[in-house]
Amino acid sequence: MRTLTEQDIRGSFINCSKGEAKRLAVPRDLDERPWDDLDFLGWRDPGAPDRSYLVTEREDRLVGVAMRFQPARRGFLHRSMCSLCLTTHPRGGVALMTARKAGPAGREGNSVGAYMCTDLACSLYLRGRKVPETGARFEESLTLEEQIARTRGNLSAFLDKL
Ligand SMILES: [Zn+2]
């Protein structure tokens, strides 16, 4: 994806108020992110451990989503798989991210959840730039390009529900 600025990011959020988008923690190392290898930028909020965010491009438009992070329950899901990149991680490596829906549905408290890599580094796992701790990626018969297309499709399907 293209290189984003803090301003791009703050202006992209579809499911939080302008005030929240202005205050939320944007990564400080945007210049050093491997943009060419990212399908989306995802990050955790260092000041609010239950919050995470992702920003991606859809038809040349930026879409940012604020999410709540739900740690895996005790004794539940020893290994689980990210619904975006299909990487399997040991417990803690995948979390249920819930996002408030955009607009009135969100104000009424409706949200959408999906299991995602807790560190939101899906793009890097796909490309082998990051290796899951003791988890693994399936032996894929798909090419990297196909896997990237699938991940983007999965992300798109999630965004469509918001
Ligand atoms: Zn993932």
Side-chain angles (χ1 to χ4, degrees), residues 6 24 28 50 56 76 89 93 100 106 108 113 123 144 149 156:
E6 180 177 339
L24 61 82
R28 295 183 183 280
D50 65 333
T56 191
F76 176 67
H89 294 275
R100 205 166 69 198
E108 284 165 22
S123 312
L144 176 59
S156 236

Side-chain angles (χ1 to χ4, degrees), residues 68-95:
R68 291 282 172 154
F69 166 89
Q70 315 252 335
R73 270 180 290 154
R74 225 177 218 289
F76 176 67
L77 289 177
H78 283 285
R79 296 170 77 77
S80 40
M81 190 191 276
C82 171
S83 67
L84 300 181
C85 67
L86 309 192
T87 302
T88 305
H89 294 275
R91 197 164 70 192
V94 168

Side-chain angles (χ1 to χ4, degrees), residues 36-74:
D36 288 345
D37 281 342
L38 294 184
D39 303 306
F40 64 88
L41 175 70
W43 70 100
R44 302 277 304 274
D45 187 330
D50 65 333
R51 289 178 198 215
S52 55
Y53 309 98
L54 71 81
V55 178
T56 191
E57 284 171 305
R58 286 191 99 182
E59 288 142 20
D60 297 331
R61 210 165 61 92
L62 288 176
V63 177
V65 181
M67 303 182 292
R68 291 282 172 154
F69 166 89
Q70 315 252 335
R73 270 180 290 154
R74 225 177 218 289

Side-chain angles (χ1 to χ4, degrees), residues 94-124:
V94 168
L96 178 61
M97 306 287 183
T98 57
R100 205 166 69 198
K101 285 192 165 211
R107 285 193 289 276
E108 284 165 22
N110 296 303
S111 63
V112 177
Y115 286 93
M116 296 182 193
C117 295
T118 304
D119 59 6
L120 296 161
C122 303
S123 312
L124 303 181

